[in-house]
Amino acid sequence: MMTDPLIVDYDRALGFTIPGRDARGRIARLGQVVAQVLAAHDYPAPIESLLGEALTLAALIGATLKDASGQLTMQAQTQTGIVRLMVCDYRGGELRGYVDYDAERLGALADPWGLAALFGGDAYLAITFDLETTGERYQGIVPLDGTTLAEAVESYFAHSEQIPTLVRAGFARGPDGQRVAGGLLLQHLPEGEAGRERLHTQLDHPEWERVAILGRTMGMDELTDPALTLETLVWRLFNEEEEVRLLPDLALAKGCRCSPDYIAGVLAKFPPSEQQAMADDDGIITVDCAFCATKFPIRAAGL
């Protein structure tokens, strides 16, 4: 199938199942979403690439939530690395994220960039599922292993969830400077999905190896090419399968829940004396949102 330059397919996630192989998958591509998130920060190239990949992974994992009002949070943190903290979250198709890093140490970093160079040797990856409908929270924490975030997420699913998983994700800038990120997540689910939010599967199954082998053939250039529809990519991978069921696609958008009313509501939970202690000489409490790089000036109670 040929690339169609008239097609622009991004900012959505597409789910699918392969019943004969007891597998499910998600494929996602971000365009305007990743551009809008990055536009709030002046990140250098390695941090921009890291966050672009992380947002894609958050979209892939978050899109598997059956609780439409649930939230997925992915956090990587270290005490000694150049990147001190990276956070992304997903809720209802909305994504946000930011990176806290040491700019001076990053400037001295030589090529190539990798997780070990950016995070050091004591980093960990935490993935948290908050299910609003039931009030349940699940969290898994694993060492930040691998050379890419995609490999670290694979390790998370293998060790924390015991789900055989293949993850591929990439970030690229087009000739016109356009930022595009794309990713693929495949999982082996021989016990099915019905009624289960956290899935436990057998780790050895002959059908899974074929699915994983096919998934590894997906190139980063394909995942980040908006002229290739997500449906086309699924077809390229699994057109020889007896049945592939496409699920309803999911629109993705940039979403930051900060607003003057929201911030004021949070501050209102503090007694006036504590609000006044946080305020400046003019009685203003300035709250800085790391996600959208916006400052919210709120007048303290009683001032």
Side-chain angles (χ1 to χ4, degrees):
M1 302 182 75
M2 300 297 291
T3 293
D4 186 343
L6 299 180
I7 294 174
V8 179
D9 189 10
Y10 49 59
D11 295 335
R12 68 184 184 111
L14 178 68
F16 57 92
T17 63
I18 311 172
R21 304 291 181 185
D22 297 317
R24 73 172 178 182
R26 289 288 189 280
I27 191 164
R29 186 182 293 126
L30 306 178
Q32 291 299 317
V33 172
V34 71
Q36 290 168 1
V37 171
L38 292 173
H41 308 274
D42 186 21
Y43 289 137
I47 303 301
E48 186 176 74
S49 179
L50 178 73
L51 186 54
E53 183 180 355
L55 289 165
T56 305
L57 294 170
L60 290 170
I61 303 169
T64 66
L65 283 168
K66 294 182 178 66
D67 184 347
S69 57
Q71 178 170 308
L72 173 284
T73 303
M74 185 170 67
Q75 176 176 312
Q77 190 166 2
T78 177
Q79 297 297 319
T80 61
I82 293 172
V83 174
R84 294 178 286 252
L85 176 66
M86 183 201 70
V87 181
C88 289
D89 70 34
Y90 166 101
R91 188 172 73 176
E94 294 188 340
L95 294 159
R96 62 179 184 172
Y98 76 93
V99 181
D100 176 34
Y101 66 99
D102 186 322
E104 184 175 347
R105 290 177 61 193
L106 181 66
L109 182 65
D111 291 344
W113 307 312
L115 286 190
L118 290 175
F119 284 93
D122 64 343
Y124 68 84
L125 174 70
I127 295 181
T128 306
F129 297 89
D130 288 293
L131 309 180
E132 185 170 317
T133 301
T134 63
E136 296 174 282
R137 164 177 276 206
Y138 302 111
Q139 184 179 70
I141 301 175
V142 296
L144 193 65
D145 293 331
T147 58
T148 66
L149 281 175
E151 291 179 10
V153 169
E154 282 186 1
S155 177
Y156 162 82
F157 278 109
H159 294 94
S160 184
E161 302 281 340
Q162 289 85 52
I163 300 178
T165 302
L166 172 73
V167 185
R168 296 182 66 79
F171 172 85
R173 272 184 176 265
D176 58 354
Q178 179 188 22
R179 303 173 177 97
V180 182
L184 169 71
L185 180 147
L186 295 171
Q187 294 183 312
H188 174 49
L189 304 171
E191 295 185 23
E193 300 186 59
R196 307 184 70 179
E197 193 63 55
R198 286 166 61 82
L199 300 160
H200 300 280
T201 70
Q202 304 167 10
L203 294 180
D204 55 339
H205 196 289
E207 303 297 343
W208 168 246
E209 188 59 28
R210 173 178 170 81
V211 173
I213 289 172
L214 291 174
R216 292 188 188 102
T217 67
M218 179 60 64
M220 291 301 107
D221 57 334
E222 296 172 291
L223 288 171
T224 57
D225 185 351
L228 289 170
T229 67
L230 301 184
E231 289 83 358
T232 294
L233 297 186
V234 175
W235 183 89
R236 285 186 174 187
L237 287 177
F238 302 114
N239 63 84
E240 295 184 0
E241 295 300 316
E242 181 177 343
E243 181 184 14
V244 178
R245 299 176 185 171
L246 295 181
L247 306 176
D249 67 346
L250 175 68
L252 301 171
K254 173 185 176 292
C256 192
R257 295 180 284 281
C258 286
S259 68
D261 289 342
Y262 174 80
I263 298 297
V266 173
L267 291 175
K269 297 177 182 179
F270 293 88
S273 60
E274 292 187 23
Q275 292 188 44
Q276 292 166 18
M278 291 185 277
D280 61 18
D281 292 341
D282 296 322
I284 300 297
I285 302 172
T286 300
V287 178
D288 188 354
C289 175
F291 288 102
C292 61
T294 301
K295 296 183 184 296
F296 295 90
I298 307 293
R299 181 164 294 280
L303 294 178

